[in-house]
């Protein structure tokens, strides 16, 4: 079979991304780090700073990404940088997965370093994947560190849940009036994912975690709009229906596809998951075509706010359903996006309102992971789900 004509361009672009990451590393002895944007209260970038420890946009995310990219590309220099980045991260003020200490522990684990102690469930105030208990649960599963604290975290999530006629949800402190949200980063999808993964990995909490995940999915399902073909971002009024990883169909697709891969004995609603996964994947394809048809790529190939999220949803769909057409479409769409971008990945639009970010979810590292997945999904597990190994 002849090689897909998109592959040489994607391969060359991946190499440019990796070169940009290595060129911008700030190294000293056995440590390495990268500058990231400091944002003001309105989300506007103010200046670049070094030493940010977070998984989302800091050095922990770089360590995690580089460890995965080293395995996918056989580049020892990337593995060395991952180890040096892990040496740079010691502590964060917040306990969360994307925002703090749980993410640092996961990055140490990915880089082959002793991860240290995960935060105690009792220190968490919220439930979401970014900074709450769901993130701790997912970190425990990904690190193989489930135990008594896993049961405690599931119990706390159960106690924090708000029951409604359509299922359960969790108020989100960053949302207007503390309303619950749909989606991966701060909404029910991320919490349902963590609960289902914990149920599959740790039998002592399986019954309660799986039942709670089902109720979380029911609540989010009630928000699906057949007219819009997606789920609303409930932070806005009137709500948009984006296809992003963080607050839209890309993250929701990734969660449904992952849950379809978990053991059927968990009691998750397989028919509903498949139907919603198909709707979410379709929304991602529509958004990719719409954005590329407009002649611009405002979020670049970033995982959180750019085209990386919907592209990865198509790759996951190809893997889960063994449908090669999804991967072929993703490659063609990614190649079209690359044609619109600058030759220098550091000049690409990022997940923040300025170029130059290298971070996992808002910068070049995440884009590199997406490109590596497009080239050979079998060598790299989904970064949208923080799966470290294929």
């Amino acid at each position: 079979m002849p090689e897909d004509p998109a592959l040489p361009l994607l391969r060359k672009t991946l190499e440019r991304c990796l070169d940009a990451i290595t060129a911008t590393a700030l190294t000293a002895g056995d440590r390495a780090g990268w500058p990231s944007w400091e944002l003001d209260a309105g989300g506007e970038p103010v200046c670049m700073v070094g030493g940010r420890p977070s998984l989302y946009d800091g050095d922990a995310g770089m360590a995690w990404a580089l460890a995965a990219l080293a395995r996918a590309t056989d580049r020892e220099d990337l593995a060395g940088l991952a180890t040096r980045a892990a040496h740079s991260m010691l502590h964060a003020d917040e306990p969360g997965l994307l925002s703090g200490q749980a993410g640092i522990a996961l990055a140490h684990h990915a880089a082959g370093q002793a991860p240290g102690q995960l935060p105690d469930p009792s220190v968490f105030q919220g439930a979401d994947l970014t900074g709450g208990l769901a993130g701790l649960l997912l970190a425990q599963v990904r690190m193989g560190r489930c135990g008594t604290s896993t049961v405690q975290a599931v119990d706390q999530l159960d106690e924090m849940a708000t029951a409604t006629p359509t299922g359960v949800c969790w108020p989100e402190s960053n949302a207007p009036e503390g309303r619950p949200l749909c989606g991966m980063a701060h909404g029910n999808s991320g919490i349902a994912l963590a609960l289902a993964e914990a149920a599959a990995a740790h039998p002592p909490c399986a019954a309660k975690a799986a039942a709670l995940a089902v109720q979380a999915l029911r609540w989010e399902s009630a928000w699906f709009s057949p007219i819009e073909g997606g789920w609303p971002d409930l932070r806005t009024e009137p709500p948009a229906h984006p296809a992003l990883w963080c607050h839209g169909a890309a993250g929701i697709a990734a969660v449904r596809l992952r849950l379809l891969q978990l053991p059927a004995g968990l009691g998750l609603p397989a028919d509903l998951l498949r139907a919603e996964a198909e709707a979410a994947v379709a929304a991602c394809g529509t958004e990719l075509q719409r954005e590329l048809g407009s002649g611009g790529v405002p979020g670049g190939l970033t995982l959180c706010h750019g085209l990386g999220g919907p592209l990865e949803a198509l790759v996951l769909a190809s893997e889960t359903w063994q449908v090669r057409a999804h991967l072929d479409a993703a490659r063609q769409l990614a190649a079209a996006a690359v044609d619109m971008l600058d030759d220098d990945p550091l000049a690409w639009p990022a997940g923040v309102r300025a170029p130059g970010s290298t971070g996992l979810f808002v910068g070049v590292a995440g884009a590199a992971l997406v490109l590596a997945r497009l080239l050979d999904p079998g060598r790299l597990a989904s970064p949208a789900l923080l799966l470290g190994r294929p």
Side-chain angles (χ1 to χ4, degrees):
M1 178 182 294
E3 183 178 60
D4 186 327
L7 293 184
L9 175 60
L10 298 180
R11 198 174 292 120
K12 181 179 179 181
T13 306
L14 172 59
E15 290 299 323
R16 290 205 305 264
C17 288
L18 299 180
D19 290 344
I21 290 169
T22 57
T24 52
L26 307 173
T27 59
D30 65 348
R31 299 188 176 191
W34 286 261
S36 57
W37 282 106
E38 184 78 27
L39 306 180
D40 64 18
E44 294 292 338
V46 178
C47 62
M48 277 198 154
V49 298
R52 189 185 303 278
S54 77
L55 197 69
Y56 183 75
D57 64 349
D59 293 339
M62 297 302 293
W64 189 93
L66 287 167
L69 287 164
R71 292 191 296 270
T73 62
D74 297 321
R75 281 185 53 167
E76 293 185 5
D77 60 327
L78 302 183
L81 274 177
T83 300
R84 295 171 79 180
H87 285 162
S88 303
M89 300 172 298
L90 300 174
H91 181 71
D93 293 333
E94 299 180 43
L97 175 62
L98 300 188
S99 60
Q101 196 63 37
I104 291 176
L106 182 62
H108 276 102
H109 174 78
Q113 306 296 304
Q117 195 69 29
L118 283 165
D120 189 271
S122 63
V123 306
F124 288 86
Q125 301 298 312
D128 70 0
L129 194 71
T130 296
L133 275 166
L136 175 64
L137 271 181
L138 196 62
Q140 290 174 337
V141 172
R142 295 290 182 258
M143 296 167 62
R145 296 276 293 273
C146 292
T148 303
S149 66
T150 306
V151 177
Q152 182 184 346
V154 171
D155 287 342
Q156 285 183 217
L157 281 170
D158 190 27
E159 293 169 3
M160 295 164 66
T162 298
T164 79
T166 58
V168 301
C169 56
W170 290 263
E172 170 51 47
S173 61
N174 292 324
E177 301 176 355
R179 71 175 59 176
L181 300 173
C182 299
M184 177 79 97
H186 297 287
N188 265 38
S189 272
I191 299 169
L193 171 68
L195 286 164
E197 294 270 17
H202 194 54
C205 72
K208 179 178 284 188
L212 200 55
V214 170
Q215 291 301 309
L217 292 167
R218 283 187 59 213
W219 181 89
E220 196 167 64
S221 296
W223 284 102
F224 176 75
S225 169
I227 296 174
E228 299 289 346
W231 290 258
D233 181 350
L234 295 169
R235 299 171 303 163
T236 63
E237 189 62 45
H241 292 73
L244 301 175
W245 176 88
C246 48
H247 291 283
I252 288 171
V255 169
R256 273 45 175 189
L257 291 164
R258 174 60 179 168
L259 297 188
L260 285 169
Q261 298 170 0
L262 294 181
L266 291 175
L268 299 173
D271 290 344
L272 176 63
L273 289 173
R274 175 174 284 276
E276 293 191 342
E278 289 175 349
V281 169
C284 290
T286 298
E287 176 60 19
L288 285 162
Q289 291 174 345
R290 184 200 66 78
E291 193 156 314
L292 293 172
S294 70
V297 190
L301 298 181
T302 57
L303 271 171
C304 188
H305 300 137
L307 297 188
L311 286 169
E312 171 56 22
L314 295 186
V315 178
L316 266 172
S318 177
E319 286 182 315
T320 305
W321 294 325
Q322 297 295 296
V323 177
R324 176 59 184 261
H326 288 306
L327 178 60
D328 291 341
R331 286 171 170 172
Q332 296 302 315
L333 290 163
V338 167
D339 279 337
M340 297 179 185
L341 293 168
D342 194 279
D343 285 344
D344 180 5
L346 293 172
W348 292 357
V352 294
R353 297 166 192 169
S357 175
T358 53
L360 172 55
F361 280 93
V362 293
V364 177
L369 288 165
V370 171
L371 291 165
R373 284 273 289 164
L374 288 163
L375 288 164
D376 190 351
R379 298 201 68 186
L380 184 69
S382 175
L385 296 162
L386 289 173
L387 286 164
R389 295 181 183 273

